[in-house]
Amino acid sequence: MEKYIIEQYRDLIRECEDLERRIGMRQKQIERAERVKDKVRGGEGGNAPFTIEGIKDREYSDNKSDLQRSMIRLSFLREQQYKMLDEVESYIAAVPDSERRMIMRYHYQDGYSWSKTARLLGEGYTADAVRISVKRFLKEDEKRMSKM
């Protein structure tokens, strides 16, 4: 496995989360465009109150189109994420060193920062130590794979 894939996995998760946030915002905009109300006076003598309800056609249409494109994009990204997760899990499971496996699971699969990973491992671990340990391992593994 390329070092790129294991590092790219976390970025893909963040990208999916960002797209989900954007979809939520777009859905709220659509709801607002659907609930347009106004009060006017008219009728006999011009004093009878009327409530007019409708939608903002252009805004509603644009937001619906953007929402559909975003949902398709999210579906595509989720599919990539699941495929990549299989690769990442298989790679991490094959790491011969238990300590590095745990570090990689915490950081890459669970999405913990290097600091939190170090805290979870317990006393004697620092963020820099766990980060450097994994970076060295990935670099060594990359060299080993390129020789094959």
Side-chain angles (χ1 to χ4, degrees):
M1 172 191 285
E2 294 178 12
K3 175 180 161 182
Y4 166 81
I5 291 175
I6 197 164
E7 291 176 343
Q8 206 43 41
Y9 178 69
R10 289 189 66 208
D11 292 336
L12 183 59
I13 290 172
R14 282 194 292 270
E15 184 179 6
C16 288
E17 289 169 350
D18 178 61
L19 191 52
E20 286 172 341
R21 180 187 59 80
R22 291 170 186 265
I23 287 170
M25 288 172 32
R26 186 69 64 197
Q27 287 170 330
K28 286 179 185 175
Q29 289 172 334
I30 289 170
E31 287 174 16
R32 281 194 298 272
E34 289 175 335
R35 291 181 281 163
V36 177
K37 290 184 180 181
D38 197 9
K39 292 189 180 199
V40 296
R41 295 199 176 275
E44 295 178 26
N47 290 327
F50 293 95
T51 300
I52 301 171
E53 295 183 26
I55 62 171
K56 295 180 182 177
D57 289 336
R58 179 70 180 185
E59 182 181 336
Y60 181 82
S61 177
D62 290 348
N63 283 326
K64 273 293 214 190
S65 296
D66 287 346
L67 179 63
Q68 288 172 339
R69 282 191 300 273
S70 294
M71 296 293 277
I72 290 167
R73 177 80 178 133
L74 181 60
S75 175
F76 172 74
L77 290 176
R78 285 288 181 213
E79 190 175 318
Q80 274 187 310
Q81 181 183 348
Y82 296 134
K83 286 178 185 176
M84 209 179 262
L85 176 60
D86 287 340
E87 289 181 53
V88 169
E89 285 179 340
S90 297
Y91 179 78
I92 291 173
V95 171
D97 182 276
S98 175
E99 180 182 70
R100 284 198 178 127
R101 253 193 330 270
M102 286 180 7
I103 293 169
M104 293 170 83
R105 276 195 190 111
Y106 287 145
H107 184 69
Y108 293 110
Q109 283 181 267
D110 299 337
Y112 296 140
S113 67
W114 293 118
S115 297
K116 183 161 185 178
T117 298
R119 282 194 308 274
L120 289 169
L121 291 170
E123 196 172 318
Y125 291 92
T126 66
D128 285 337
V130 295
R131 179 182 54 80
I132 290 169
S133 172
V134 169
K135 298 294 180 186
R136 283 182 184 157
F137 174 79
L138 291 174
K139 192 173 187 176
E140 291 167 9
D141 194 51
E142 196 170 39
K143 284 180 187 177
R144 187 178 55 79
M145 295 299 274
S146 67
K147 289 180 183 178
M148 292 181 141

